Amino acid sequence: GIQVEQSPPDLILQEGANSTLRCNFSDSVNNLQWFHQNPWGQLINLFYIPSGTKQNGRLSATTVATERYSLLYISSSQTTDSGVYFCAVEPPSNDYKLSFGAGTTVTVRA
Amino acid sequence: SQTIHQWPATLVQPVGSPLSLECTVEGTSNPNLYWYRQAAGRGLQLLFYSVGIGQISSEVPQNLSASRPQDRQFILSSKKLLLSDSGFYLCAWTHLPGQGGYEQYFGPGTRLTVT
């Protein structure tokens, strides 16, 4: 099956810092989503971005499908940004089944 | 708008006992439904998915089963729990192809501890 690798596995930031999270995938994809898992376990949808660039407030994401990677940018980080960020992809199988990376654990310190 | 519910939120069960976790979706019809499990400190693993009532596909062999008795209801079950069944169970839904976007949306999860 498709392989999804996220880096770095852990990231510690000072409040106000910027950061970039990376997601590499081993095959073409129909769907790519970024999620934030909060301390209570809830998975929050950040971006649906199989290609191109999107921005939502302090977060933005870029997917370069031809090179099989996606980047999530966090600017001016806040303590509420702490949690685990997951990249998930769906290969072109028409089944809408997502394969998840192992996640990047982000800790933002005040 | 659509919402997804899961219950119970937390559950502690002894080894060998049965299990039933429920997931319901409101505000949409004919969704695709999914069950995932997340072990502590790990990513999500897809367990089952369903494209319609009574239609269940299993992704991994295991001690669990799933059923879809109604269009917007998805149930995860086990006859006899194992210690290895402990984890965080998440239900998710998407629109059917051609009926909306392709994003997958997750419920709040059930944290299961088998003792």
Side-chain angles (χ1 to χ4, degrees):
Chain A
I2 193 167
Q3 304 299 311
V4 184
E5 295 182 354
Q6 291 187 242
S7 60
D10 299 281
L11 191 58
I12 299 175
L13 301 170
Q14 203 62 35
E15 198 169 29
N18 302 329
S19 62
T20 302
L21 283 59
R22 187 177 180 100
C23 173
N24 292 332
F25 43 95
S26 60
D27 203 348
S28 57
V29 297
N30 278 353
N31 177 7
L32 188 147
Q33 292 184 241
W34 282 98
F35 297 91
H36 175 214
Q37 188 168 38
N38 66 22
W40 297 272
Q42 177 75 55
L43 275 170
I44 299 166
N45 289 44
L46 297 178
F47 295 102
Y48 165 71
I49 186 166
S51 63
T53 297
K54 290 186 178 180
Q55 182 161 5
N56 184 3
R58 296 181 296 103
L59 301 180
S60 62
T62 295
T63 297
V64 183
T66 53
E67 298 186 21
R68 299 180 182 170
Y69 73 89
S70 183
L71 302 174
L72 178 69
Y73 305 97
I74 306 174
S75 64
S76 304
S77 57
Q78 300 177 359
T79 56
T80 52
D81 294 330
S82 296
V84 184
Y85 290 80
F86 288 104
C87 168
V89 302
E90 178 210 343
S93 61
N94 295 321
D95 287 337
Y96 294 84
K97 296 183 288 184
L98 291 177
S99 294
F100 279 75
T104 294
T105 301
V106 174
T107 303
V108 182
R109 294 178 173 167
Chain B
S1 65
Q2 300 89 359
T3 56
I4 179 169
H5 304 280
Q6 288 187 243
W7 61 89
T10 60
L11 190 60
V12 179
Q13 291 284 94
V15 168
S17 63
L19 173 73
S20 181
L21 304 181
E22 189 164 344
C23 168
T24 59
V25 181
E26 295 178 356
T28 188
S29 297
N30 304 314
N32 281 359
L33 296 172
Y34 307 82
W35 279 112
Y36 290 85
R37 177 170 59 201
Q38 184 179 29
R42 306 284 295 276
L44 277 72
Q45 180 186 37
L46 179 63
L47 302 176
F48 301 95
Y49 75 100
S50 171
V51 299
I53 295 173
Q55 300 179 62
I56 309 295
S57 296
S58 174
E59 289 297 296
V60 291
Q62 60 208 312
N63 185 43
L64 302 168
S65 62
S67 62
R68 185 169 176 175
Q70 301 179 42
D71 179 47
R72 291 170 290 174
Q73 184 184 32
F74 205 21
I75 296 173
L76 184 69
S77 303
S78 174
K79 292 182 179 178
K80 289 185 178 182
L81 284 168
L82 306 172
L83 285 174
S84 57
D85 292 324
S86 293
F88 189 49
Y89 289 83
L90 291 143
C91 181
W93 73 276
T94 61
H95 290 287
L96 278 183
Q99 294 187 7
Y102 299 97
E103 287 185 75
Q104 203 160 121
Y105 297 92
F106 284 80
T110 294
R111 202 164 300 277
L112 172 66
T113 303
V114 182
T115 60

